[in-house]
Amino acid sequence: MAKESFNTYSYLLDRTNRRIKQFAQKRFKEESFDITVDQWLVLKSLNQENDQNQSELAEQIGKDNPTLTRIIDLLCKKELVERRQLPSDRRCFTLHLTDEGKQKMEEWAPKVAEIRMKAWENLTEKDYEDLKRILNTIYQSLEI
Amino acid sequence: MAKESFNTYSYLLDRTNRRIKQFAQKRFKEESFDITVDQWLVLKSLNQENDQNQSELAEQIGKDNPTLTRIIDLLCKKELVERRQLPSDRRCFTLHLTDEGKQKMEEWAPKVAEIRMKAWENLTEKDYEDLKRILNTIYQSLEI
DNA sequence: TAACAATAATTAGTACAACAAATATATGAG
DNA sequence: CTCATATATTTGTTGTACTAATTATTGTTA
């Protein structure tokens, strides 16, 4: 294949990724979910596993610490998440959904699952598997 | 498949996309290419086809106009690109590589092609085809 | 114990993404 | 011609990404 073509794949990937976010964000707005897609990712992770500190959570969702700090700041301001000082290591906070956060998660989760599913509706089971494998192969080829 | 899994695919796609950009950016820096990956995309398009106005170019590279305006601003500041007023329609600019821009393109293009290729080196021809098909299917499922 | 390295989180600075709204100009219908 | 509409671009705002620097704390070791 011509070298030039590889630019095209990067472009397709970028474009598709953007549209997935864009679509979800638009639907979030329509449903009056007052969060971004990335904020959703954080809430979802905290809902599955409380007591994570920021570094663990950052690793979990694949974002860096400064980015996560800001997402957490925003979620705290919305009173969906709270930081708790860890007495055993005063450098750390553990992160927790507030009661309101838990309630919103119950309310939002089924609808979000539906919205997120939309992207994949015209793919076969084999397509999912192939996509997963291909993306992971790329990811590992670029180990930093 | 459980609905919850679909979140995972979005996550994989986002993560891989980020790493592709991240990798290219890091290599750009090592090679002292003083541009971002998105700026590269613009230069590349202009190198192939001069005389585009901003709206055409935005469409071409799949970014919206405000985003492109700012990328062009930066490239103009670096004196790689210039805006030329179109006498026949004074709302438009056509965009052109400067001499320095053309020179840099010649210098950078082969190396950039190599860098971009790195992501795909462990995939087969069939993988490329599958990936392209799958990404386009997703893109079209989310027509906005 | 004092000095040094490592870690958790934050902050600052720059850039891009997405969206809405504003501005300037052009075009078409009447 | 004039008004409404459309088009090209810019501006403002919020959020995310990456780098580098900073603060506070903990761990290590001479």
Side-chain angles (χ1 to χ4, degrees), chain B residues 83-116:
Chain B
R83 291 179 169 100
R84 291 187 200 149
Q85 269 285 358
L86 196 64
S88 61
D89 186 341
R90 290 187 318 189
R91 292 169 305 180
C92 298
F93 300 98
T94 60
L95 300 170
H96 301 265
L97 294 182
T98 61
D99 288 343
E100 191 184 343
K102 284 178 199 153
Q103 190 193 316
K104 291 293 187 189
M105 281 305 293
E106 281 196 34
E107 187 186 328
W108 294 341
K111 200 77 192 175
V112 172
E114 207 172 302
I115 290 170
R116 298 294 266 175

Side-chain angles (χ1 to χ4, degrees), chain A residues 1 4 6 10 14-15 17-19 44 61-62 116 120 122 127-128 133 136 138-139 141 143, chain B residues 1 4 6 9-10 14-15 17-19 44 62 116 120 122 127-128 133 136 139 141 143:
Chain A
M1 170 157 10
E4 281 308 308
F6 293 104
S10 304
D14 192 47
R15 179 177 92 149
N17 189 51
R18 222 173 323 134
R19 178 156 287 187
K44 185 162 172 295
I61 65 172
R116 299 294 265 174
W120 317 100
N122 291 317
D127 288 339
Y128 301 136
R133 176 181 53 77
N136 282 328
I138 294 170
Y139 191 78
S141 297
E143 216 70 61
Chain B
M1 170 156 10
E4 281 308 306
F6 294 106
Y9 292 102
S10 306
D14 192 48
R15 179 177 90 151
N17 190 52
R18 222 174 321 135
R19 178 157 286 188
K44 186 162 172 294
R116 298 294 266 175
W120 317 100
N122 291 317
D127 288 337
Y128 302 136
R133 176 181 53 76
N136 282 329
Y139 191 77
S141 297
E143 216 69 62

Side-chain angles (χ1 to χ4, degrees), chain A residues 1 3-4 6-23 26 38 40-41 44 48 59-64 109-110 112-123 125-144, chain B residues 1 3-4 6-23 26 38 40-41 44 48 59-64 109-110 112-123 125-144:
Chain A
M1 170 157 10
K3 275 190 186 180
E4 281 308 308
F6 293 104
N7 271 296
T8 307
Y9 292 102
S10 304
Y11 165 69
L12 281 183
L13 220 152
D14 192 47
R15 179 177 92 149
T16 303
N17 189 51
R18 222 173 323 134
R19 178 156 287 187
I20 289 172
K21 272 201 183 171
Q22 217 169 1
F23 175 82
K26 176 164 145 283
D38 294 278
W40 166 258
L41 203 62
K44 185 162 172 295
Q48 282 165 355
E59 171 68 22
Q60 172 73 22
I61 65 172
K63 304 219 176 271
D64 59 17
V112 172
E114 207 172 302
I115 291 170
R116 299 294 265 174
M117 198 165 57
K118 174 80 176 159
W120 317 100
E121 68 180 8
N122 291 317
L123 301 181
E125 289 284 335
K126 177 157 189 332
D127 288 339
Y128 301 136
E129 291 311 312
D130 284 342
L131 180 60
K132 191 159 79 173
R133 176 181 53 77
I134 291 170
L135 292 176
N136 282 328
T137 303
I138 294 170
Y139 191 78
Q140 281 152 24
S141 297
L142 302 178
E143 216 70 61
I144 299 183
Chain B
M1 170 156 10
K3 277 188 183 179
E4 281 308 306
F6 294 106
N7 270 295
T8 308
Y9 292 102
S10 306
Y11 164 68
L12 281 182
L13 220 152
D14 192 48
R15 179 177 90 151
T16 304
N17 190 52
R18 222 174 321 135
R19 178 157 286 188
I20 288 173
K21 272 201 182 168
Q22 215 171 5
F23 175 81
K26 175 165 146 281
D38 294 279
W40 165 257
L41 204 62
K44 186 162 172 294
Q48 283 165 356
E59 171 69 21
Q60 174 73 22
I61 65 172
K63 301 209 180 280
D64 61 15
V112 172
E114 207 172 302
I115 290 170
R116 298 294 266 175
M117 198 165 55
K118 173 78 175 161
W120 317 100
E121 70 181 7
N122 291 317
L123 300 180
E125 289 285 336
K126 176 154 191 331
D127 288 337
Y128 302 136
E129 290 312 311
D130 284 342
L131 180 60
K132 191 159 80 175
R133 176 181 53 76
I134 290 170
L135 292 176
N136 282 329
T137 302
I138 294 170
Y139 191 77
Q140 282 151 23
S141 297
L142 302 179
E143 216 69 62
I144 298 184

Side-chain angles (χ1 to χ4, degrees), chain A residues 95-107:
Chain A
L95 301 169
H96 302 264
L97 294 181
T98 62
D99 287 343
E100 192 184 342
K102 284 177 199 156
Q103 191 193 315
K104 291 292 187 191
M105 282 304 293
E106 281 196 33
E107 188 186 328

